[in-house]
Amino acid sequence: MIEGKYQDTPKVPFTMGMEVAGTIDTVGTGVTGFAPGDRVAVFGGKGGLAEYGVFDAARAVKIPDSMSFEDAAAFQIAYGTSHLALDHRARLQPGETLLVLGAAGGVGLTAVEIGKLMGATVIACARGPEKLEVARQAGADHLIDARTEDIREAVLALGGSDVVYDAVGGDQFTAAFRSCKPEARILTIGFASGEVPQIKANHLLVKNLTVMGLYWGGYLTFRPEILTGSLAQLFAWYDQKKIRPHVSHVLPLEEVADGLALLRDRKSTGKVVIRIDG
């Protein structure tokens, strides 16, 4: 979004920060279902990195009393993306093999958790032993170090994948593509590598592969009920302590630039949260 390459970049100038959690200060005329003092999480798309924000009430959801603001701020996009991708789009089935690229990242880690909850065997691919350990703790059955291992060979040695969850793109997408089982489904979630892969359509035919995209926020415009149902399931899992956001860094507002650098340099695991005191 900073570089103007995101699929939903607002016109400049704008305030960054796609999702927030906090307490409602006031509600607009005609707003029902919310009141001052309510604890909510909001997918605003922008405007989050500020002391106050004004958001459409349709983008707000009340959060459980058991959920901290740090967890709530790290929750919607990461878990919502993975649940919608694996359940609604890929129709992941118990017993299938799920390959997660970027498995220690903000969305990748949630894909590992949700994949295990849905009964899949999860192969986690990440860079370095520390990140792989985070993925293992989230439930991954097999680990692949993207720095030192041949992803294609490692996945094929495990029997191949039925579903690929790709938040990385680039060469890792190509390796994962070549390690799929027949009729596998490949989810394109993001491009942390900075490289958007190009797919040769005729290669899809050989194994009858399906490549599908997932932009979580897009459902707000054409099927918001899908998001509502998904979030209800996710909040229920949170209340049952089946899922817990992994937040590697909590920084004050004045250190936003440092938080962005952690993401850009891929030095974080899970989510980076900016806390606004006062």
Side-chain angles (χ1 to χ4, degrees):
M1 190 178 285
I2 291 173
E3 295 174 349
K5 297 177 181 179
Y6 190 62
Q7 61 263 24
D8 193 19
T9 298
K11 293 182 179 179
V12 295
F14 67 92
T15 299
M16 294 189 63
M18 295 182 70
E19 59 183 326
V20 301
T23 303
I24 293 177
D25 186 70
T26 188
V27 296
T29 303
V31 171
T32 60
F34 296 101
D38 285 348
R39 302 172 74 250
V40 296
V42 180
F43 171 70
K46 61 179 180 178
L49 293 175
E51 293 172 308
Y52 279 85
V54 180
F55 305 101
D56 191 321
R59 290 176 172 259
V61 59
K62 293 180 182 179
I63 60 177
D65 290 340
S66 61
M67 181 177 279
S68 68
F69 286 134
E70 285 85 359
D71 279 359
F75 194 82
Q76 285 192 97
I77 295 176
Y79 280 103
T81 295
S82 292
H83 185 251
L84 215 61
L86 297 175
D87 183 63
H88 178 68
R89 294 291 280 146
R91 308 291 183 186
L92 179 67
Q93 299 299 307
E96 289 191 315
T97 298
L98 167 66
L99 170 62
V100 180
L101 304 179
V107 292
L109 200 57
T110 64
V112 172
E113 280 188 274
I114 292 173
K116 285 301 294 181
L117 274 175
M118 294 177 68
T121 296
V122 179
I123 305 171
C125 181
R127 297 171 62 83
E130 292 183 2
K131 291 189 174 184
L132 287 172
E133 175 59 20
V134 172
R136 187 194 65 77
Q137 292 180 13
D141 299 286
H142 305 285
L143 307 174
I144 298 174
D145 192 333
R147 286 179 175 174
T148 60
E149 296 183 68
D150 185 311
I151 296 172
R152 174 177 176 269
E153 292 299 326
V155 175
L156 288 175
L158 294 168
S161 57
D162 297 292
V163 174
V164 175
Y165 184 101
D166 177 25
V168 178
D171 292 340
Q172 290 193 33
F173 173 92
T174 302
F177 186 95
R178 296 176 63 201
S179 65
C180 285
K181 296 180 183 179
E183 294 192 325
R185 291 90 74 200
I186 304 172
L187 292 155
T188 57
I189 306 298
F191 313 104
S193 68
E195 182 181 342
V196 178
Q198 304 301 304
I199 303 166
K200 293 184 178 180
N202 61 313
H203 289 186
L204 299 174
L205 308 182
V206 179
K207 292 184 181 179
N208 294 289
L209 302 180
T210 300
V211 179
M212 55 187 75
L214 189 285
Y215 170 44
W216 185 79
Y219 278 84
L220 284 168
T221 62
F222 66 94
R223 290 197 69 186
E225 74 280 2
I226 297 293
L227 289 189
T228 302
S230 174
L231 285 172
Q233 174 65 77
L234 290 166
F235 281 131
W237 279 342
Y238 183 93
D239 263 346
Q240 296 162 14
K241 298 184 178 180
K242 292 183 177 180
I243 55 176
R244 271 293 180 274
H246 176 87
V247 178
S248 64
H249 297 79
V250 178
L251 304 174
L253 182 60
E254 57 268 24
E255 295 179 20
V256 163
D258 295 332
L260 292 170
L262 287 169
L263 299 178
R264 182 178 60 249
D265 300 335
R266 299 167 76 174
K267 292 183 178 179
S268 62
T269 55
K271 299 285 282 186
V272 174
V273 171
I274 302 299
R275 184 175 57 222
I276 301 171
D277 297 317

